[in-house]
Amino acid sequence: MHPRTFRFAVVAAQAPTAQAWQGLARRAEGLGYDTLLAPDTMTTLEPFTALAAAATATERLRVGTFVLPAPFYTPSEIAWRALALDLLSGGRFDLGLGAGRPGAEDEVVHRERRFGTPAERVKQLSDAIHIVKEELAAAAASRSPLKPVQKPHPPILVAAAGPKMFQLAAAEADILTLGLSPATTEDGLAAKIAELRAVAGSRFDDLELSHNLAGVGTELPGYLSQQMGMDPAELIRTGAPSILTGTPQEMADTLRRRRDDLGISYIAVNGMFMEKLAPVVEELAGN
């Protein structure tokens, strides 16, 4: 299969003002990024509100949740919000869903929801995907003026790292983002892709694979270690693929190799490194 075209996303959801937030979105668009992704945490902007504001300030930039924890919402609520954002963005919305990241159980209490066992949460995610697809397909076929622009529904991104989630993503997702620890080695990344390939079978080539960069370059801010829970300098020393280093050309060559060897073509980067990665985006976007 011919390699997929590169796409690049910025992951961000904090800003001091509305003007700064919309300026960030416009800057990402101007630098050639394809998507602005917003996480769903209690310390960041509420993603649907933030992404709607970003979409109105841009023309080409896609927006997406990265990712909504299914245990935090009812499926119909997800479908309702997704329909609104797909419509208001003019069909530039990707619906990112997950079963709940590590530590999310501390937040679910504030949302008056139960954070179940891993198996229960995978089931919740599966149910949510099916109901969202059904409700958006029904809206598309109805006489209501509220219809998804992207039919029958926006692209669905699933964050996955283990066999059960790989099975679900392979069956239901358009995009799979690898929910791996930043400490994962290059060999570990390759092993996970091999595991996914075995689970997905013939569906593997239908999945757009995404990998998240926690940092770019060797001059990394000290506070990054608090966000990651580990020393970035150690990740650089071990060559962890979560940190991209080298000249812009070397970085581009690294991403080309990972795409050719592993199939990873959709690269997401922490918003604080948006400018640093921009020369690589210019080199690779659309190729």
Side-chain angles (χ1 to χ4, degrees):
M1 180 178 176
H2 187 73
R4 283 182 179 269
T5 299
F6 275 110
R7 292 203 302 143
F8 291 88
V10 174
V11 182
Q14 289 185 332
T17 65
Q19 291 77 14
W21 173 248
Q22 291 184 316
L24 184 151
R26 285 190 291 266
R27 181 60 176 158
E29 183 174 61
L31 290 173
Y33 285 90
D34 297 277
T35 315
L36 176 63
L37 298 171
D40 184 351
T41 77
M42 297 298 291
T43 59
T44 53
L45 290 168
E46 191 281 314
F48 282 96
T49 306
L51 293 173
T56 60
T58 55
E59 297 179 357
R60 176 193 57 82
L61 190 73
R62 296 187 66 83
V63 296
T65 50
F66 198 69
V67 294
L68 296 184
F72 288 7
Y73 301 90
T74 65
S76 290
E77 182 182 6
I78 296 173
W80 177 47
R81 294 185 181 210
L83 173 59
L85 190 46
D86 184 61
L87 190 154
L88 293 175
S89 68
R92 290 184 284 140
F93 173 57
D94 296 339
L95 176 59
L97 297 168
R101 69 191 180 285
E105 60 270 28
D106 295 333
E107 295 185 0
V108 76
V109 174
H110 299 286
R111 308 199 190 197
E112 299 181 351
R113 303 280 294 174
R114 178 176 172 271
F115 199 73
T117 66
E120 289 172 335
R121 288 185 280 117
V122 172
K123 177 65 163 55
Q124 285 178 299
L125 175 59
S126 177
D127 291 345
I129 293 173
H130 291 148
I131 291 172
V132 166
K133 286 184 174 182
E134 289 171 0
E135 294 195 2
L136 292 185
S142 73
R143 294 186 178 183
S144 168
L146 299 178
K147 297 179 182 290
V149 177
Q150 301 174 98
K151 295 180 176 60
H153 55 75
I156 291 177
L157 175 151
V158 171
K164 294 292 186 185
M165 289 295 292
F166 280 167
Q167 288 175 359
L168 177 58
E172 302 292 347
D174 302 293
I175 308 163
L176 185 150
T177 188
L178 295 156
L180 305 178
S181 163
T184 302
T185 63
E186 194 84 37
D187 287 345
L189 179 60
K192 273 295 176 185
I193 297 293
E195 180 184 341
L196 171 62
R197 184 183 290 274
V199 169
S202 62
R203 266 279 289 162
F204 181 82
D205 288 338
D206 294 331
L207 293 169
E208 183 178 30
L209 301 187
S210 175
H211 184 239
N212 190 35
L213 298 174
V216 177
T218 55
E219 302 287 328
L220 302 178
Y223 58 80
L224 188 62
S225 60
Q226 296 179 340
Q227 293 185 8
M228 298 171 62
M230 55 195 70
D231 182 7
E234 179 64 15
L235 300 182
I236 293 172
R237 187 190 68 78
T238 60
S242 59
I243 308 291
L244 192 63
T245 61
T247 65
Q249 187 59 57
E250 289 169 339
M251 293 181 191
D253 289 344
T254 295
L255 295 181
R256 283 194 190 96
R257 174 180 54 78
R258 287 180 189 156
R259 181 186 64 176
D260 294 344
D261 293 348
L262 305 177
I264 299 170
S265 60
Y266 189 16
I267 311 301
V269 67
N270 186 312
M272 73 178 75
F273 301 104
M274 177 175 70
E275 300 284 347
K276 279 191 175 182
L277 192 66
V280 181
V281 174
E282 183 178 8
E283 169 81 13
L284 294 180
N287 296 321

